[in-house]
Each structure stands twice: as C-alpha cells, then as structure tokens.
Amino acid sequence: MTALILGLESSCDETAVALVRGDRSIVAQRIASQDEAHRPFGGVVPELAARAHAERLTPMVAEVLAEAGAALADLDAVAATAGPGLIGGVMVGLVTGKALAMAAGKPLIAVNHLEGHALSPRLVDAGLRFPYLLLLVSGGHCQLLGVEGVGRYRRLATTIDDAIGEAFDKTAKVLGLGFPGGPAVERAAREGDAHRFALPRPLLGTAEPHFSFAGLKSAVLRHWQALASPGDAERVDLAAAFQHAATDCLVDRTARAITAFPTATALVVAGGVASNVAIRTALATLAATHDLPFVAPPPWLCTDNAAMIAWAGAERLALGLTDGLDFPARARWPLDPSAEAARGAGVRA
Ligand code: KG4
Ligand code: ZN
C-alpha cells in the first residue's frame, strides 16, 4: 500500500481534514466553511476563525478516520499547514497536527499553504511534470512561479499592492453583492455588460510580469459613487467590467511570464480565484496559443481544502522531507525567500 497521509488546513476561514494516499486517491475528507460566522462582518474575523478551528478540527479528524475505517496507527505521516495565514488558526492546526503525530508515533510534515496550492494540480493530474509555470491566485496572493520541483519555487512576479482575491472581495463589498465576494462577483458578472464602464488595467504591457489591482478596485468604487441612482443593472455591469479587466491583467502578465520561462511544460492555475470560470477559460485560450497544456484543478481543489495539504505532505514524505515537533507557526512564509521585493511593492512577500 502507498503512504497514507492525514492533512489539516486551518490558515484562513475553512476548517479542513483529509486522508490522501501517495497513489493520489482521496480516501476521505471534510471541509467546513465559516461563511455564516463571518458574513455579518463582511470579511474574515481572525479571532472568530481561530475559535471555530479549535472547536471543529478534532471532531472532524475523528469523522474522517472513522469514514475511512482507519486508526492513527495506520497513518504514515501527519501534514498540517504551518503558514502563511491568520496566525491563530495556523497555530490551532499545527498544534493539533503535532499532537496527532506524537500520538501516532509518525512524522510531522509542516506544509506551506502556498505549496499546497502549488502542488494541488499534481494530485489530480499524474502526468503533470516539473517544471511548470504556475499562476497562484488567492485571497492573499497573486504570483507567477516557476515550479521546478517539490520545495523549489522561483517567483517570477507578484502583486505590488492587493491580491486579486482581495480585489474581488472588495468589489463585492462596494457593490453590495455579499460575502464571500469572489463567487458573488462571478455570478453577477454573468448577467452584466462588461463594456458599459471603462475600467483601468494596471501594469498592462509592462516588461516585468508583476500585478497591481489597487487602482482597478478604486475605479470600481469611483464609478459606483458617481452614479446618480445605482441599481441592479449598474451592479452587474460593474461586476462584469471588473472581472473583464482583472482577467485581461492576468492574461497579459501570464503571457509575459510564458516568454520568460520557456522550459515550462504546462501552464497551471491554482488558488481560490482559479475556480472562476471566465478566468479559467481565458487562461486555457492563452495556453493554447502558446502550444502549452493547461491544467486547472477542479474548483473544490482551488479553494482552501486539506486534500492539497495532505498531497503536499505525500510529495514531501516521498523525498524524506519531514519536520521536527518544534516547527514554528508562521504568519508570513514566502515560497521563494530569495525573491526581491517588486518595485513599488508594499509589504507583501
Ligand atoms: O485559496 P483561497 O480559498 O484562500 C486563500 O488562500 O486566500 O482563496 C480565497 C479567495 C477569496 O478572495 C475568494 O473571493 C476568491 O478566492 N474566490 C473567487 C472565486 N471563488 C473564490 N474569486 C473569483 N471567482 C470565484 N469564483
Ligand atoms: Zn489558499
């Protein structure tokens, strides 16, 4: 039998547990969203998130093991997200992982959440080989990475201000589309006319493939506030214009990165925003024009989950990469620590 890995994820507002095998089979998994708890605040409240993880994680581990008919002794390793993310939640998941690893007498694997996203396409596509070009688009990050192997990431570009998921979430808030914002903007955009409002496409055409979304987000706010009597028609038209502009930026920047990384065997997209159908479609077209295979995980594997953490654990275990029980929880943990700050960048790694 191939290795059996228990994965835990608690870095943002999804509590998730999964049992995954090294042969890519997902034996059992649970994902508990905290949308209801955070909705009244219009965004994720870190303290509420940490408390919810603390209440739910251990019972979910018991449920997943029971569903699989597995005991702690059957595990080969415990993989837990150790960062980056909201530190309270990360600590809950990592400490739980350490306790389970101790109880099972098996190694701990401290997984970088971004590595979970980065390797997730290999969980569902056995043919995906290194190196590949990864567009990582989530609530906290927007990066282009050369994925050269497990633990070997070269950052080609990042955002100089907001992450793209953040821009989707703020646009949803401005337009009163509700929480969580990304899927709400996508639904509204389907009904709207993307050409009624002219929105900027920051950094389009610049030599380095960095991203910027702050100006686009502010433009949505300015247009909304300038309307005499904004209603549903304006709401869906602005959502469509925003999604169209954001997609244009992703495609243009990714096209630059394809040229800068000619050894890539595929164009891969991962992270929560990769569940957006318009974005997936545009990237698939881009890959086809460059004769590159396009790989996008199914939408449930794009948003936060524990199967990707267990899978990153399986990939690391296969290389003998395990961690000590003193591994610290990290609020910030760049995949490519040698990458220099992008010009004009704020604090984002
Ligand atoms: O990867 P993820 O689940 O969590 C982080 O690691 O950040 O990504 C969450 C982000 C949120 O900003 C959410 O609004 C966005 O992904 N998102 C979407 C869609 N589904 C989730 N953005 C655009 N379209 C979607 N369908
Ligand atoms: Zn994520």
Side-chain angles (χ1 to χ4, degrees):
M1 275 294 222
T2 53
L4 182 65
I5 316 292
L6 177 70
L8 309 179
E9 161 59 33
S10 59
S11 65
C12 192
D13 60 341
E14 257 88 32
T15 313
V17 177
L19 265 178
V20 170
R21 284 201 179 277
D23 65 2
R24 294 184 164 75
S25 50
I26 299 168
V27 183
Q29 71 162 323
R30 293 273 189 289
I31 305 174
S33 132
Q34 302 175 3
D35 288 352
E36 295 309 319
H38 301 293
R39 183 165 288 126
F41 304 94
V44 178
V45 183
E47 174 70 18
L48 287 182
R51 283 171 185 269
H53 292 308
E55 283 164 20
R56 293 178 184 177
L57 198 56
T58 316
M60 285 169 67
V61 169
E63 281 170 34
V64 163
L65 288 172
E67 184 185 323
L72 281 183
D74 299 324
L75 301 178
D76 291 288
V78 178
T81 298
L86 301 173
I87 196 67
V90 172
M91 285 168 69
V92 169
L94 182 58
V95 168
T96 305
K98 288 176 178 178
L100 290 167
M102 271 180 83
K106 296 291 162 55
L108 170 79
I109 302 168
V111 174
N112 183 317
H113 178 86
L114 302 174
E115 178 165 65
H117 281 301
L119 298 177
S120 64
R122 283 167 53 85
L123 170 57
V124 284
D125 187 338
L128 177 58
R129 287 173 296 110
F130 301 119
Y132 53 84
L133 176 63
L134 171 72
L135 174 63
L136 176 52
V137 277
S138 71
H141 295 84
C142 188
Q143 303 189 342
L144 281 156
L145 293 152
V147 180
E148 285 160 356
V150 176
R152 293 172 51 213
Y153 306 95
R154 188 151 60 86
R155 201 196 72 191
L156 304 169
T158 188
T159 177
I160 63 167
D161 41 55
D162 293 352
I164 184 166
E166 213 174 328
F168 265 92
D169 294 335
K170 287 184 182 157
T171 293
K173 213 166 178 174
V174 165
L175 300 180
L177 289 168
F179 175 86
V185 170
E186 181 173 19
R187 271 194 307 277
R190 255 184 247 133
E191 315 294 323
D193 170 7
H195 302 285
R196 175 169 163 201
F197 296 99
L199 295 180
R201 279 134 174 89
L203 296 186
L204 207 81
T206 56
E208 283 189 293
H210 292 309
F211 301 91
S212 167
F213 293 102
L216 173 56
K217 176 193 74 186
S218 317
V220 172
L221 178 63
R222 274 200 312 279
H223 277 279
W224 184 250
Q225 288 178 338
L227 289 164
S229 54
D232 281 347
E234 288 69 32
R235 194 169 274 127
V236 295
D237 289 346
L238 260 176
F242 165 81
Q243 184 172 281
H244 195 233
T247 306
D248 280 355
C249 294
L250 289 182
V251 168
D252 176 79
R253 312 289 60 214
T254 306
R256 292 262 160 188
I258 290 175
T259 313
F261 191 45
T263 53
T265 61
L267 171 62
V268 176
V269 65
V273 182
S275 57
N276 183 292
V277 175
I279 290 174
R280 291 164 85 95
T281 308
L283 291 170
T285 305
L286 173 70
T289 62
H290 289 268
D291 269 338
L292 273 177
F294 176 65
V295 180
W300 74 263
L301 190 55
C302 291
T303 47
D304 286 348
N305 64 86
M308 70 181 190
I309 303 302
W311 173 250
E315 295 245 42
R316 295 188 78 83
L317 184 68
L319 297 174
L321 300 171
T322 61
D323 297 289
L325 292 175
D326 58 347
F327 198 97
R330 296 175 175 173
R332 294 172 58 75
W333 186 2
L335 272 184
D336 179 0
S338 70
E340 287 174 17
R343 203 139 48 104
V347 292
R348 228 168 261 294

